[in-house]
Coordinates of all heavy atoms in Angstrom, one line a residue:
K1 N -5.6 11.3 5.6 CA -6.8 11.9 5.0 C -7.7 10.9 4.3 O -8.9 11.0 4.5 CB -6.3 12.9 4.0 CG -7.4 13.7 3.3 CD -6.9 14.8 2.5 CE -6.2 14.4 1.2 NZ -5.9 15.5 0.3
F2 N -7.1 9.9 3.7 CA -7.9 8.9 3.0 C -8.7 8.1 4.0 O -9.9 7.8 3.8 CB -7.0 8.0 2.2 CG -6.2 8.7 1.1 CD1 -5.0 8.3 0.8 CD2 -6.8 9.8 0.4 CE1 -4.2 8.9 -0.2 CE2 -6.0 10.5 -0.5 CZ -4.7 10.0 -0.8
W3 N -8.0 7.8 5.2 CA -8.7 7.0 6.2 C -9.9 7.8 6.8 O -10.9 7.2 7.1 CB -7.7 6.5 7.2 CG -8.2 5.6 8.3 CD1 -8.5 5.9 9.6 CD2 -8.6 4.3 8.1 NE1 -9.0 4.8 10.2 CE2 -9.1 3.8 9.3 CE3 -8.6 3.4 7.0 CZ2 -9.6 2.5 9.5 CZ3 -9.1 2.1 7.1 CH2 -9.5 1.7 8.4
R4 N -9.7 9.0 7.0 CA -10.7 9.8 7.6 C -12.0 9.8 6.8 O -13.1 9.9 7.3 CB -10.3 11.3 7.8 CG -9.4 11.5 9.0 CD -9.3 13.0 9.4 NE -8.9 13.8 8.3 CZ -7.6 14.1 8.0 NH1 -6.6 13.6 8.7 NH2 -7.4 14.9 6.9
H5 N -11.8 9.7 5.5 CA -12.9 9.7 4.5 C -13.3 8.3 4.0 O -13.9 8.2 2.9 CB -12.6 10.7 3.4 CG -12.5 12.1 3.8 ND1 -13.6 12.9 3.9 CD2 -11.4 12.9 4.0 CE1 -13.2 14.2 4.3 NE2 -11.8 14.1 4.3
R6 N -12.9 7.3 4.8 CA -13.1 5.9 4.3 C -14.5 5.6 4.1 O -14.9 4.6 3.4 CB -12.4 4.9 5.2 CG -13.0 4.9 6.6 CD -12.2 4.1 7.6 NE -12.8 4.0 8.9 CZ -12.6 4.9 9.9 NH1 -11.9 6.0 9.6 NH2 -13.1 4.8 11.1
T7 N -15.5 6.3 4.7 CA -16.9 6.0 4.6 C -17.5 6.6 3.3 O -18.6 6.4 3.0 CB -17.7 6.4 5.8 OG1 -17.5 7.8 6.0 CG2 -17.2 5.7 7.0
T8 N -16.7 7.5 2.6 CA -17.2 8.2 1.4 C -16.7 7.4 0.2 O -15.8 6.6 0.3 CB -16.7 9.6 1.3 OG1 -15.3 9.6 1.1 CG2 -17.1 10.4 2.6
S9 N -17.4 7.6 -0.9 CA -17.0 6.9 -2.2 C -15.6 7.4 -2.6 O -14.8 6.6 -3.1 CB -18.0 7.2 -3.3 OG -18.1 8.6 -3.5
W10 N -15.3 8.7 -2.3 CA -14.0 9.2 -2.7 C -12.9 8.5 -1.8 O -11.9 8.1 -2.4 CB -14.0 10.7 -2.4 CG -12.6 11.4 -2.6 CD1 -12.2 11.9 -3.8 CD2 -11.6 11.6 -1.6 NE1 -10.9 12.4 -3.6 CE2 -10.5 12.3 -2.3 CE3 -11.4 11.3 -0.3 CZ2 -9.4 12.6 -1.7 CZ3 -10.3 11.7 0.3 CH2 -9.3 12.3 -0.4
G11 N -13.1 8.4 -0.5 CA -12.1 7.7 0.3 C -11.9 6.3 0.0 O -10.8 5.8 -0.1
R12 N -13.1 5.6 -0.3 CA -12.9 4.1 -0.7 C -12.2 4.0 -2.0 O -11.4 3.0 -2.1 CB -14.3 3.5 -0.7 CG -15.0 3.3 0.6 CD -16.2 2.4 0.5 NE -17.3 3.0 -0.3 CZ -18.2 3.8 0.1 NH1 -18.3 4.1 1.4 NH2 -19.1 4.3 -0.7
Y13 N -12.4 4.9 -2.9 CA -11.7 4.9 -4.2 C -10.2 5.0 -4.0 O -9.4 4.3 -4.6 CB -12.3 6.0 -5.1 CG -11.8 6.0 -6.5 CD1 -12.5 5.3 -7.5 CD2 -10.6 6.7 -6.8 CE1 -12.0 5.3 -8.8 CE2 -10.1 6.7 -8.1 CZ -10.8 6.0 -9.1 OH -10.4 6.1 -10.4
K14 N -9.8 6.0 -3.2 CA -8.4 6.3 -3.0 C -7.7 5.2 -2.3 O -6.6 4.8 -2.6 CB -8.3 7.6 -2.2 CG -8.6 8.9 -3.0 CD -7.6 9.2 -4.0 CE -7.8 10.6 -4.6 NZ -6.8 11.0 -5.6
I15 N -8.4 4.6 -1.3 CA -7.8 3.5 -0.6 C -7.7 2.2 -1.5 O -6.7 1.5 -1.5 CB -8.6 3.2 0.7 CG1 -8.5 4.3 1.7 CG2 -8.2 1.9 1.3 CD1 -9.4 4.2 2.9
S16 N -8.7 2.0 -2.2 CA -8.7 0.8 -3.1 C -7.6 0.9 -4.2 O -6.9 -0.1 -4.5 CB -10.1 0.7 -3.8 OG -11.1 0.5 -2.9
I17 N -7.4 2.1 -4.7 CA -6.3 2.3 -5.7 C -5.0 1.9 -5.1 O -4.1 1.3 -5.7 CB -6.3 3.8 -6.2 CG1 -7.5 4.0 -7.2 CG2 -5.0 4.1 -6.8 CD1 -7.3 3.3 -8.5
R18 N -4.8 2.3 -3.8 CA -3.5 2.0 -3.2 C -3.3 0.6 -2.8 O -2.2 0.1 -2.8 CB -3.4 2.9 -1.9 CG -2.9 4.3 -2.3 CD -3.3 5.4 -1.4 NE -2.8 6.7 -1.9 CZ -3.3 7.4 -2.9 NH1 -4.4 6.9 -3.5 NH2 -2.8 8.5 -3.4
V19 N -4.4 -0.1 -2.5 CA -4.3 -1.6 -2.4 C -3.9 -2.3 -3.7 O -3.1 -3.1 -3.7 CB -5.7 -2.1 -1.9 CG1 -5.7 -3.7 -1.9 CG2 -6.0 -1.6 -0.5
V20 N -4.5 -1.8 -4.8 CA -4.1 -2.3 -6.1 C -2.7 -2.0 -6.4 O -1.9 -2.8 -6.9 CB -5.1 -1.7 -7.2 CG1 -4.5 -2.1 -8.6 CG2 -6.5 -2.2 -7.0
A21 N -2.3 -0.8 -6.1 CA -0.9 -0.4 -6.3 C 0.1 -1.2 -5.5 O 1.2 -1.6 -6.0 CB -0.7 1.1 -6.0
L22 N -0.3 -1.5 -4.2 CA 0.6 -2.4 -3.4 C 0.7 -3.8 -4.0 O 1.9 -4.3 -4.1 CB 0.0 -2.5 -2.0 CG 0.7 -3.4 -1.0 CD1 2.1 -3.0 -0.8 CD2 0.0 -3.5 0.3
A23 N -0.4 -4.3 -4.5 CA -0.3 -5.6 -5.2 C 0.6 -5.6 -6.4 O 1.5 -6.4 -6.7 CB -1.7 -6.1 -5.6
A24 N 0.5 -4.4 -7.2 CA 1.3 -4.3 -8.4 C 2.8 -4.1 -8.0 O 3.7 -4.7 -8.7 CB 0.9 -3.0 -9.1
I25 N 3.1 -3.5 -6.9 CA 4.5 -3.3 -6.4 C 5.1 -4.6 -6.1 O 6.2 -4.9 -6.4 CB 4.5 -2.4 -5.2 CG1 4.2 -0.9 -5.7 CG2 5.9 -2.4 -4.6 CD1 3.9 0.0 -4.5
L26 N 4.3 -5.5 -5.4 CA 4.8 -6.8 -5.1 C 5.1 -7.6 -6.3 O 6.1 -8.4 -6.4 CB 3.8 -7.5 -4.2 CG 3.5 -6.9 -2.8 CD1 2.5 -7.6 -2.0 CD2 4.8 -6.8 -2.0
L27 N 4.2 -7.5 -7.3 CA 4.5 -8.2 -8.6 C 5.7 -7.7 -9.3 O 6.5 -8.5 -9.8 CB 3.2 -8.1 -9.5 CG 2.0 -8.9 -9.1 CD1 0.9 -8.6 -10.1 CD2 2.3 -10.4 -9.1
A28 N 5.8 -6.4 -9.3 CA 6.9 -5.8 -10.1 C 8.3 -6.0 -9.5 O 9.3 -6.1 -10.2 CB 6.6 -4.3 -10.3
N29 N 8.3 -6.0 -8.1 CA 9.6 -6.1 -7.4 C 10.0 -7.5 -6.9 O 11.1 -7.7 -6.5 CB 9.6 -5.1 -6.3 CG 9.7 -3.7 -6.7 OD1 10.6 -3.2 -7.3 ND2 8.6 -3.0 -6.5
E30 N 9.0 -8.4 -6.9 CA 9.3 -9.8 -6.5 C 10.1 -9.9 -5.2 O 11.2 -10.4 -5.2 CB 10.0 -10.6 -7.6 CG 9.2 -10.6 -8.9 CD 9.9 -11.4 -10.0 OE1 11.1 -11.2 -10.2 OE2 9.3 -12.2 -10.7
P31 N 9.6 -9.3 -4.1 CA 10.4 -9.2 -2.9 C 10.7 -10.6 -2.2 O 11.6 -10.7 -1.4 CB 9.5 -8.3 -1.9 CG 8.2 -8.5 -2.5 CD 8.3 -8.6 -3.9
W32 N 9.9 -11.6 -2.6 CA 10.1 -12.9 -2.1 C 11.4 -13.6 -2.6 O 11.8 -14.6 -2.1 CB 8.9 -13.8 -2.5 CG 8.5 -13.7 -3.9 CD1 9.1 -14.4 -5.0 CD2 7.5 -12.9 -4.4 NE1 8.5 -14.0 -6.1 CE2 7.5 -13.1 -5.8 CE3 6.6 -12.0 -3.9 CZ2 6.6 -12.4 -6.7 CZ3 5.7 -11.3 -4.7 CH2 5.7 -11.5 -6.1
N33 N 12.1 -12.9 -3.6 CA 13.3 -13.5 -4.1 C 14.6 -13.1 -3.2 O 15.7 -13.5 -3.5 CB 13.6 -13.0 -5.5 CG 12.6 -13.7 -6.5 OD1 12.1 -14.8 -6.2 ND2 12.3 -13.1 -7.6
G34 N 14.4 -12.2 -2.2 CA 15.5 -11.7 -1.4 C 15.7 -12.5 -0.2 O 14.9 -13.4 0.2
E35 N 16.7 -12.2 0.6 CA 17.0 -12.9 1.9 C 17.0 -11.8 2.9 O 17.7 -10.8 2.8 CB 18.3 -13.6 1.9 CG 18.4 -14.7 0.9 CD 19.8 -15.5 0.9 OE1 20.6 -15.1 1.8 OE2 20.0 -16.4 0.1
A36 N 16.2 -12.0 4.0 CA 16.0 -11.0 5.0 C 17.1 -11.0 6.0 O 17.6 -12.1 6.4 CB 14.7 -11.2 5.7
T37 N 17.6 -9.9 6.4 CA 18.5 -9.7 7.5 C 18.0 -8.6 8.4 O 17.4 -7.7 7.9 CB 20.0 -9.4 7.1 OG1 20.0 -8.1 6.5 CG2 20.4 -10.4 6.0
V38 N 18.3 -8.6 9.7 CA 17.8 -7.6 10.6 C 18.4 -6.2 10.2 O 17.7 -5.2 10.1 CB 18.2 -8.0 12.1 CG1 17.8 -6.8 13.0 CG2 17.4 -9.2 12.5
P39 N 19.8 -6.1 10.0 CA 20.3 -4.8 9.7 C 19.7 -4.2 8.4 O 19.4 -3.1 8.2 CB 21.8 -5.0 9.5 CG 22.1 -6.2 10.4 CD 20.8 -7.1 10.2
G40 N 19.5 -5.1 7.4 CA 18.9 -4.7 6.1 C 17.5 -4.3 6.3 O 17.0 -3.3 5.7
A41 N 16.7 -5.0 7.1 CA 15.3 -4.6 7.4 C 15.2 -3.2 8.1 O 14.4 -2.4 7.7 CB 14.6 -5.7 8.2
V42 N 16.1 -3.0 9.0 CA 16.2 -1.7 9.7 C 16.5 -0.6 8.7 O 15.8 0.5 8.7 CB 17.2 -1.7 10.9 CG1 17.4 -0.3 11.4 CG2 16.8 -2.7 12.0
A43 N 17.5 -0.8 7.9 CA 17.8 0.2 6.9 C 16.6 0.5 5.9 O 16.4 1.6 5.5 CB 19.0 -0.3 6.1
A44 N 15.9 -0.6 5.6 CA 14.7 -0.4 4.7 C 13.6 0.4 5.3 O 13.0 1.3 4.7 CB 14.2 -1.8 4.3
V45 N 13.4 0.2 6.6 CA 12.4 1.0 7.4 C 12.8 2.4 7.4 O 12.0 3.3 7.2 CB 12.2 0.4 8.8 CG1 11.3 1.3 9.6 CG2 11.6 -1.0 8.7

C-alpha cells in the first residue's frame, strides 16, 4: 500500500519512516556482531 502511494506526500512519509526505522533496528541490534550460517539464515527468513 505504501509503495502504491509512493508519489504522494503520505506515501513518501510512510516509506521514509520505515527507512529510518530500519537504520534504528540495525543500530539497536548490531547484527554485524553475529556469525552467519546457512541453516540459521534459513530459519531467520
Side-chain angles (χ1 to χ4, degrees):
K1 180 171 74 172
F2 303 144
W3 184 252
R4 284 197 305 270
H5 295 278
R6 63 188 181 279
T7 58
T8 67
S9 59
W10 177 88
R12 289 193 295 270
Y13 185 93
K14 290 287 189 178
I15 292 173
S16 298
I17 285 290
R18 278 153 180 78
V19 172
V20 171
L22 175 59
I25 290 164
L26 296 177
L27 287 175
N29 291 292
E30 299 180 317
W32 46 83
N33 289 332
E35 296 182 3
T37 67
V38 173
V42 171
V45 171

